[in-house]
Amino acid sequence: MSEVLAAANPGLSGLSLYVPRPRVPLAAFAEWTGADPGKLAAVVGDAFRVPQPDEDVYTMAAAAVLRLLQQHDVDPARVGMLALGTESSLDNAVGAVIVRGMVDDALRRAGRAPLPRDVEVPEVKHACLGGMYALKSALRYVQTDGAERVAVVVAADIAQYERGSSGEPTQGAGAVAMLVEPRARLLALDLRAAGSSSDERGWDFRKPVARHFMAEYPESCRGERDFPVFNGKYSTVCYVEAVVRALQSAHARGGGDPRSLLGEPAALLLHRPYDRMPVAALGAAWVWACVRAGDREALGAACHAADVGFDALVAELGGDSSARYGVLAHGPEFDPLARTQAVARQLGKDEAFARVLAATRPGRALVRQLGNLYTASLPAWIAAAFADAHARALEWDGAAVTLVGYGSGDAAEVWSGRVAPGWREAAGRSDVAGALTGAIDLGREEYEALHERRAPARELPPPGPFAIAGRGRTYGRDWQDVGVAHYRVVEAG
């Protein structure tokens, strides 16, 4: 873990959350589908959000950005970058500039100047890590050519799975906008201490365009739907292995006791496709940290229960086996960290590991209400953790925070941060609780209709502040706009 960061270190100065109003409580989902409600609560969470037919990834992103500018009193003229991280793009040419257009419209309607013409508008894609990669780019921007301007990063996604699949209860939708400044007022981030990992995984989680044109792909999955091609158990293996390798990278850069990477932070916040996944990854990470520190005693009971020797863990974690090559050689059940995970599953009563898990508590109850937000999952947990710390008046000035991002495909990032002095003012402006108000619990038929991107029988309040106005249909020699989405600012009321 890096030392306390200087006051001028770049990082986050504010966050803003937007989620659609329609909500599916997992207790109701269990009743509809015959799933075990206790298992869903223990493994997945409490609820997920569903967008309305006139909402998409761009309307949600624009809503979060507009809220950020308003809640944190950001002068649009100061913004030099507007970056979008998403894996739910509806346009393969552009993305963030669409968000900019809606924000400009809303600012003009309010009598304010729009964003400057020289704002950069990149879109970053790498599965669930796209938002963090976009944030990394923004941090570099405010430290180099940003010239005292600020960056806004918005992570937005719609996580949707085929009905009846194992991924269906892990759905979600929403966006988180992040204000990035050269002098962080909420969370300073030191990329010099960051760790990274990547390795092509083949079958982990993909959205190949070709699937829509192949006979093997079900007709019910085509059209506007963006269901992923995924393999749940294999994806879990990839997640755990990538996080451990990114921690190895962070430790190689920073040195010191590897256990401090997990034991020191006041908050350990991870990408969470579902509630149990970060716990599994942290278990394997703690085994790695103890092995790297040569702490046989710490793992003695767990090794005995799993019937795995400490030296076998040293050999496994010291190797560089690849999940993809392992599957090619041994089949889909291959796990490059099988012994590590076996020992991690025996850590349930370990006091040291319990202290590690305690650092995941800030904001965790809140994000259990959101489902999987893909690129916005980790940013949402950051916002929730600071809202929780603010509500409980925790003494976080100068506290360490570790962020662990992950993107199927397969890549992971581990970042070290320090809570900025005076963080409460910025945290209090974010109003995470307000973003969750007005939820509309859906009945089964209403959920099924929205899952198919059609209006339910009950008329729902219009989304706001932006909605899809329609799609172009012109395809002529002199003018074309076929398929291009057009948006409108929704009147409040």
Side-chain angles (χ1 to χ4, degrees):
M1 180 67 63
S2 60
E3 297 300 319
V4 176
L5 304 178
N9 214 82
L12 298 175
S13 289
L15 301 102
S16 179
L17 171 69
Y18 174 85
V19 291
R21 293 180 67 183
R23 177 175 64 188
V24 175
L26 285 180
F29 179 87
E31 184 178 339
W32 305 337
T33 62
D36 181 345
K39 183 176 181 180
L40 287 182
V43 176
V44 180
D46 298 321
F48 62 84
R49 298 293 180 112
V50 183
Q52 297 194 49
D54 49 357
E55 289 185 289
D56 64 16
V57 67
Y58 304 126
T59 64
M60 295 190 302
V65 171
L66 187 62
R67 284 186 176 182
L68 183 79
L69 299 180
Q70 294 169 338
Q71 291 173 349
H72 295 274
D73 195 24
V74 179
D75 180 357
R78 294 184 61 216
V79 179
M81 172 185 281
L82 172 60
L84 170 65
T86 186
E87 62 171 81
S88 302
S89 293
L90 297 172
D91 193 305
N92 284 333
V94 296
V97 74
I98 299 173
V99 175
R100 183 224 160 99
M102 278 182 270
V103 172
D104 282 348
D105 289 346
L107 291 172
R108 285 192 171 100
R109 178 167 293 200
R112 302 182 66 187
L115 295 171
R117 286 297 295 270
D118 63 351
V119 170
E120 298 177 22
V121 285
E123 179 181 321
V124 181
K125 180 182 76 173
H126 185 84
C128 299
L129 197 57
M132 299 306 289
Y133 275 157
L135 178 55
K136 201 171 191 177
S137 176
L139 289 166
R140 290 164 172 161
Y141 167 78
V142 299
Q143 291 180 93
T144 53
D145 59 310
E148 295 301 305
R149 296 177 74 176
V150 304
V152 173
V153 176
V154 59
D157 265 310
I158 298 172
Q160 190 179 46
Y161 291 81
E162 186 178 2
R163 295 261 313 280
S165 70
S166 62
E168 189 181 7
T170 70
Q171 297 178 117
V176 177
M178 297 167 274
L179 177 62
V180 183
E181 294 187 325
R183 297 167 190 83
R185 292 181 283 120
L186 189 67
L187 179 65
L189 296 165
D190 186 2
L191 294 182
R192 296 168 301 178
S196 301
S197 74
S198 66
D199 190 22
E200 204 276 318
R201 302 301 193 187
W203 317 270
D204 180 2
F205 177 105
R206 295 294 185 89
K207 294 181 178 179
V209 174
R211 70 194 188 282
H212 290 284
F213 306 97
M214 298 177 68
E216 293 83 357
Y217 196 58
E219 192 71 30
S220 61
C221 296
R222 302 184 187 187
E224 292 188 34
R225 301 168 182 85
D226 199 25
F227 305 147
V229 175
F230 74 103
N231 296 283
K233 184 176 179 181
Y234 178 67
S235 290
T236 299
V237 168
C238 291
Y239 180 110
V240 171
E241 196 266 352
V243 167
V244 170
R245 300 305 183 192
L247 281 163
Q248 289 176 328
S249 170
H251 179 254
R253 296 186 74 175
D257 188 336
R259 293 168 297 185
S260 67
L261 284 167
L262 304 173
E264 178 188 348
L268 266 171
L269 311 176
L270 297 84
H271 168 62
R272 54 174 306 282
Y274 52 90
D275 192 62
R276 183 71 64 81
M277 188 71 261
V279 176
L282 285 175
W286 183 246
V287 172
W288 162 77
C290 292
V291 168
R292 184 69 181 83
D295 192 348
R296 291 176 177 266
E297 183 178 352
L299 298 179
C303 283
H304 178 75
D307 193 24
V308 175
F310 189 87
D311 290 340
L313 293 176
V314 172
E316 182 174 84
L317 288 163
D320 191 28
S321 59
S322 163
R324 180 164 66 103
Y325 290 126
V327 167
L328 289 171
H330 306 290
E333 298 300 315
F334 177 78
D335 181 352
L337 298 181
R339 295 181 179 88
T340 300
Q341 293 211 62
V343 174
R345 287 191 287 269
Q346 303 300 323
L347 291 173
K349 297 181 180 180
D350 184 85
E351 292 183 5
F353 182 59
R355 289 192 292 271
V356 170
L357 288 184
T360 68
R361 290 175 188 162
R364 188 170 169 185
L366 190 152
V367 293
R368 285 175 56 88
Q369 301 290 328
L370 301 180
N372 185 5
L373 304 186
Y374 284 167
T375 60
S377 172
L378 176 53
W381 199 348
I382 300 170
F386 275 97
D388 187 10
H390 182 270
R392 292 195 283 146
L394 297 182
E395 297 296 331
W396 267 20
D397 284 63
V401 174
T402 293
L403 308 179
V404 182
Y406 173 76
S408 302
D410 165 52
E413 292 277 318
V414 174
W415 297 357
S416 296
R418 292 280 175 178
V419 178
W423 62 275
R424 295 180 189 280
E425 197 274 337
R429 286 174 173 258
S430 295
D431 191 23
V432 173
L436 300 180
T437 60
I440 302 170
D441 287 338
L442 300 174
R444 180 174 185 171
E445 292 182 356
E446 293 171 328
Y447 159 65
E448 292 173 354
L450 290 180
H451 189 273
E452 296 174 6
R453 301 293 291 166
R454 55 183 175 84
R458 174 175 41 155
E459 184 175 356
L460 300 177
F466 305 105
I468 301 170
R471 296 188 186 280
R473 294 184 175 277
T474 302
Y475 190 75
R477 182 181 297 274
D478 299 321
W479 185 259
Q480 298 180 0
D481 74 344
V482 61
V484 175
H486 303 287
Y487 300 92
R488 61 186 175 90
V489 180
V490 178
E491 296 287 350

